[in-house]
Amino acid sequence: LDQAPEQVALPVEAGALIDAIGEDEPDAFARWEQLSAALEAYREATRLGFDGRTMSVDLTDLLQLMRTGLERGIEKAHTFMQDVPPTYFTFEVTDYDLTGTSDAHGNPHIRVNGFKPTALPPFLEGPVRLMKLLDLEKARDLARSIKHSALYDAKLGMVKVNAPLDAQSHAIGRARAFTPGWLENESIWLHMSFKYLLELLKAGLYEEYFEALRAHLPAFMDPHVYGRSPLENSSFIVSSAHPDPTLHGNGFVARLSGSTAEFLSMWVLMTAGLKPFLVEQGGVVLALKPILPGWLFNADGRFSFRFLGACNVTLHNPLCRDTFAEGCDIQKIELHTGDETFRIEGGVIGAPYAERVRQGEIDSIDLFY
């Protein structure tokens, strides 16, 4: 917005909410009280809809103020930071006043004057979000901490959606109601586990990623343990926290979304690399940089995949080296279309061939390591 300032149209009912956000109240409790009251007023004003009028506002300063407030809150949360950062907190009321009124059930209304925050046991989501922001070494430290935490299921070699919740009240929510190791409590929730794997890959932790991939991907599981076809994904896998050991490693609830989306993202990064298309000197170039371990190549050192839904790509890696290993580089490339073959030295496909790949005009590509 600094680079291209423009007004944003919002419902007029949002005006009071914007005004409240724009007041920079330094006291955290007073700020919470102020924003909560403004939010409740906004919800009440829009409960039956909007009247249709709009107003134009410049959000640049407001968004910056919101960002500053968010960073201030994250800084305060660092007092709770362990090796594995917390995801959720509970807030116990420590001081309150009676208002003299009650709800329909006779429960007295109160005005809260203070809270005591407590971090819940670790959930996988917090570390996954944090890993997006870390450099390579800090990401590696976090991955190591997760593997030595209560999130790690040593029996299965997998990461659970949360650490044990036995000591928590049922008031924290439905996760506490499930048997440990089942559904949303201490299970291997593949949608979340695959998010973690994806962040390992994006962070450049390739050794850690492929170790985790072999444990988490149903294609590599023992079907007698998995309990279903390894061609089929699951919503969750029963962890070793479950009291029935015969269920450990079993997959439940066929899954066609969620973890599938993360898997497709991992597949794209593993085959095409982080940034296959680049602009250099005003033109589009294609630099495929697969991130693959040697054990995924067949006995002849080949690995094939379909790129952009139209182009068959074959990697020729006779020594079956990890493609991300130092010194494992693409030496030459062959592009095939109809009766023509184009040969390129090195690992970059320049103009005009990169654009022809994008347009689906190249039938196949061979990469030689």
Side-chain angles (χ1 to χ4, degrees):
L1 287 174
D2 281 336
Q3 297 171 0
E6 65 177 79
Q7 299 283 305
V8 179
L10 294 175
V12 293
E13 291 86 352
L17 188 59
I18 289 174
D19 290 341
I21 295 171
E23 296 178 20
D24 190 13
E25 168 58 62
D27 180 74
F29 184 85
R31 180 68 167 162
W32 170 81
E33 179 73 33
Q34 172 198 41
L35 291 179
S36 296
L39 180 59
E40 289 166 1
Y42 171 77
R43 286 174 172 165
E44 180 60 28
T46 59
R47 184 171 61 88
L48 300 179
F50 300 91
D51 79 357
R53 291 177 296 152
T54 62
M55 60 180 187
S56 294
V57 293
D58 182 350
L59 294 180
T60 307
D61 292 339
L62 184 70
L63 290 172
Q64 186 58 53
L65 181 64
M66 293 169 69
R67 177 172 183 157
T68 300
L70 178 63
E71 291 170 345
R72 187 186 300 147
I74 292 174
E75 189 62 34
K76 287 188 65 177
H78 281 177
T79 60
F80 294 91
M81 290 289 274
Q82 306 290 329
D83 290 338
V84 177
T87 303
Y88 300 111
F89 295 85
T90 60
F91 293 85
E92 179 185 355
V93 174
T94 56
D95 184 30
Y96 64 90
D97 294 325
L98 293 170
T99 65
T101 60
S102 302
D103 65 13
H105 303 285
N107 300 310
H109 291 147
I110 64 171
R111 180 174 296 279
V112 176
N113 298 322
F115 290 108
K116 176 187 176 183
T118 303
L120 286 178
F123 280 69
L124 187 58
E125 185 170 1
V128 167
R129 302 276 181 177
L130 178 61
M131 192 167 284
K132 294 174 182 287
L133 309 175
L134 301 179
D135 60 29
L136 178 64
E137 289 310 313
K138 289 183 178 178
R140 179 173 284 116
D141 289 342
L142 179 55
R144 189 179 297 115
S145 295
I146 289 173
K147 197 168 183 179
H148 290 89
S149 75
L151 288 173
Y152 187 70
D153 189 328
K155 179 179 179 179
L156 301 180
M158 299 179 180
V159 285
K160 299 182 291 186
V161 69
N162 59 267
L165 300 175
D166 300 356
Q168 304 302 311
S169 162
H170 283 274
I172 67 169
R174 69 185 188 186
R176 176 65 178 83
F178 292 107
T179 302
W182 184 262
L183 270 170
E184 296 176 41
N185 183 11
E186 267 197 276
S187 74
I188 314 300
W189 193 257
L190 284 179
H191 181 34
M192 198 69 241
S193 299
F194 279 20
K195 283 182 182 292
Y196 175 61
L197 266 62
L198 178 59
E199 293 309 319
L200 289 176
L201 179 58
K202 289 165 67 176
L205 299 175
Y206 303 140
E207 299 287 352
E208 293 86 345
Y209 167 73
F210 285 110
E211 178 186 356
L213 185 72
R214 296 191 81 159
H216 287 83
L217 196 64
F220 299 129
M221 294 179 185
D222 181 345
H224 296 96
V225 176
Y226 186 48
R228 63 197 314 139
S229 168
L231 299 177
E232 184 178 68
N233 213 341
S234 294
S235 178
F236 73 96
I237 292 173
V238 180
S239 77
S240 62
H242 196 278
D244 183 353
T246 65
L247 293 178
H248 296 174
N250 275 199
F252 284 85
V253 189
R255 188 78 165 178
L256 298 177
S257 62
S259 52
T260 307
E262 275 71 40
F263 174 74
L264 289 173
S265 294
M266 291 188 286
W267 181 86
V268 168
L269 296 182
M270 288 169 60
T271 55
L274 299 173
K275 294 180 180 179
F277 286 104
L278 303 167
V279 175
E280 291 185 357
Q281 299 178 342
V284 175
V285 302
L286 172 59
L288 292 168
K289 294 184 179 180
I291 305 169
L292 296 165
W295 53 264
L296 270 179
F297 288 81
N298 68 12
D300 296 325
R302 292 201 305 269
F303 179 101
S304 298
F305 67 96
R306 180 70 63 88
F307 184 55
L308 301 181
C311 182
N312 292 320
V313 179
T314 300
L315 281 60
H316 300 268
N317 180 10
L319 299 180
C320 292
R321 295 187 65 194
D322 297 340
T323 63
F324 50 87
E326 186 175 354
C328 188
D329 302 314
I330 297 171
Q331 300 297 312
K332 65 177 181 177
I333 301 172
E334 292 182 355
L335 293 86
H336 309 280
T337 175
D339 297 328
E340 291 185 290
T341 295
F342 307 98
R343 292 178 174 84
I344 298 170
E345 295 298 320
V348 178
I349 301 172
Y353 305 112
E355 188 61 37
R356 293 188 64 181
V357 175
R358 285 172 66 89
Q359 298 300 326
E361 298 174 2
I362 302 297
D363 298 326
S364 62
I365 299 175
D366 287 284
L367 305 178
F368 296 89
Y369 285 84

